[in-house]
Amino acid sequence: MSSIADKRVLTEEIAHLEAQLTAARARLNHSPTPSASNSNPALPPNGLPSHPLLLLSDSALPLGSFAFSSGLESYLAHNPYPKTASEAFPHFLTLALTTLATTTLPYLLAAHRSPEQLQELDATLDACTLCPVARRASVAQGKALLTLWERALRTGAGESPAALALGEFSVVLKSIPLHRDDGCEVSGHFAPIWAAVTRAMGITLRESAYTFLFNHAKAVVSAAVRASVMGPYAAQGMLAGTWLRGEIEDVMARNWGMDVEDAAQGVPMCDLWVGRHELLYSRIFNS
C-alpha cells in the first residue's frame, strides 16, 4: 500500500487498535471482583454499549453548549428565506453541519490520529477561525471539556499518548504568558480537545467524529426549542429520524479525506449570521 488513502486506512486501523488496548487496560485496572451477584452470561462485556461514548453523548455534559445557538438566532432574525421558522430550520441545520464539517472536522480527525500534535493543531485552528464570535464559543466549550477531563474523566484513562498530550496541553494553557518560546500559542478549541479526550477514552475515530457532529445537531435543535421554532416532541422526532442521520453521514463522507490544509468555511453566510448575532437588538443566546 503506497497511496495516501491506503496509508490513512492503516493509520486509522492502528489508532482503533490502540484505543481498544487502552480501554481494555482501563477495564482490567478497575474491573470489580467477579461474583455471583454481578455475573450475567446474557450480557458479555464486549456486547455492551461503549460507556465513555454514552458519557460524552449526554446532553447534561457540562460544556455550556446550551448557551450557544450556532447562529440560529441571528439566522431567524435576518430571515433570508420566505418561510416559517419551522420550515426554514432543517435548511439551517444542514448548513450548520456543513460548516462544522468543513472548518473543524479535519482538525478533529488529525488530533485523534496524532494526539501528540494537539498544541500545533489548536494553534492552527485558532489562526484559521476568522469569526471572533465562533472562536469564543469554540474556546469556551474546549476549556470546559478540558476541565471536565481533568476533574472527572481522567481517572482510568491510563498513560496513553492522548492522555499525556492533554496533560501537556493543560500545562501550557494554564501558563502565563500563553506564548511558548517557539512562538506557538494555544487557545483550547473544542474540536482538537474533543478528539484527544475521545482517543484517550478508547473511542474510535468514526465514533468520535459522528458523536461530535450529532452533539452539535442536538445543541442546535435544543436552541430551536428554546427559540420557539418547534416543540420538544418535534425536536425529538427530528433527532430520531433518518433524515438527520443521513445528513451527518453525508457530511462525514464528503469531508473524511480532507486535510487540515484544505479546511475552509464551506458556508460563508454562517460566519455572517454568527458574527452579526451580537448586533441583534435582543437575544437569548451568547452566539
Side-chain angles (χ1 to χ4, degrees):
M1 294 184 179
S2 58
S3 66
I4 296 177
D6 291 337
K7 290 181 179 179
R8 180 171 290 143
V9 171
L10 287 176
T11 301
E12 293 178 7
E13 183 177 352
I14 293 172
H16 175 63
L17 293 174
E18 289 178 348
Q20 287 183 321
L21 181 60
T22 299
R25 285 174 175 167
R27 291 197 302 270
L28 179 63
N29 294 334
H30 297 83
S31 59
T33 303
S35 62
S37 60
N38 60 16
S39 61
N40 187 348
L43 293 175
N46 292 335
L48 295 176
S50 171
H51 188 77
L53 192 61
L54 293 177
L55 286 174
L56 294 177
S57 60
D58 187 0
S59 298
L61 207 64
L63 300 180
S65 302
F66 64 90
F68 308 105
S69 70
S70 300
L72 173 63
E73 191 173 21
S74 178
Y75 168 83
L76 295 175
H78 290 88
N79 194 21
Y81 299 100
K83 299 179 180 179
T84 64
S86 59
E87 292 174 337
F89 178 73
H91 176 70
F92 174 81
L93 184 55
T94 298
L95 298 181
L97 289 172
T98 301
T99 293
L100 193 66
T102 57
T103 57
T104 61
L105 182 62
Y107 291 90
L108 185 154
L109 299 177
H112 194 285
R113 291 164 178 153
S114 304
E116 66 277 2
Q117 297 181 5
L118 177 59
Q119 295 182 35
E120 178 183 351
L121 290 169
D122 177 83
T124 305
L125 177 57
D126 188 71
C128 294
T129 303
L130 302 180
C131 179
V133 180
R135 180 191 179 277
R136 288 199 300 269
S138 176
V139 169
Q141 294 176 84
K143 289 182 176 179
L145 178 58
L146 187 61
T147 301
L148 178 65
W149 161 259
E150 293 179 329
R151 296 185 178 182
L153 305 178
R154 177 70 177 83
T155 304
E159 299 298 328
S160 65
L164 295 176
L166 285 166
E168 295 175 358
F169 186 90
S170 178
V171 171
V172 175
L173 186 62
K174 295 175 182 177
S175 65
I176 301 175
L178 294 179
H179 290 275
R180 303 187 307 177
D181 293 336
D182 59 2
C184 182
E185 180 184 1
V186 298
S187 300
H189 281 275
F190 188 31
I193 294 177
W194 169 275
V197 168
T198 53
R199 173 71 182 271
M201 296 180 70
I203 297 174
T204 66
L205 179 59
R206 289 191 176 275
E207 288 175 333
S208 175
Y210 187 93
T211 306
F212 182 78
L213 292 168
F214 183 62
N215 282 354
H216 182 73
K218 288 196 299 182
V220 176
V221 170
S222 175
V225 173
R226 285 173 286 150
S228 300
V229 174
M230 64 178 66
Y233 293 110
Q236 290 302 312
M238 175 169 288
L239 293 175
T242 58
W243 175 82
L244 178 58
R245 183 184 305 177
E247 289 293 317
I248 295 176
E249 292 176 350
D250 181 56
V251 296
M252 282 182 61
R254 285 190 282 112
N255 299 279
W256 191 260
M258 182 183 296
D259 295 324
V260 170
E261 292 79 6
D262 298 322
Q265 175 57 272
V267 188
M269 283 300 298
C270 280
D271 271 353
L272 292 177
W273 292 324
V274 172
R276 289 185 58 84
H277 181 271
E278 294 181 338
L279 301 179
L280 297 179
Y281 179 75
S282 62
R283 55 185 184 270
I284 60 177
F285 298 97
N286 286 341
S287 75

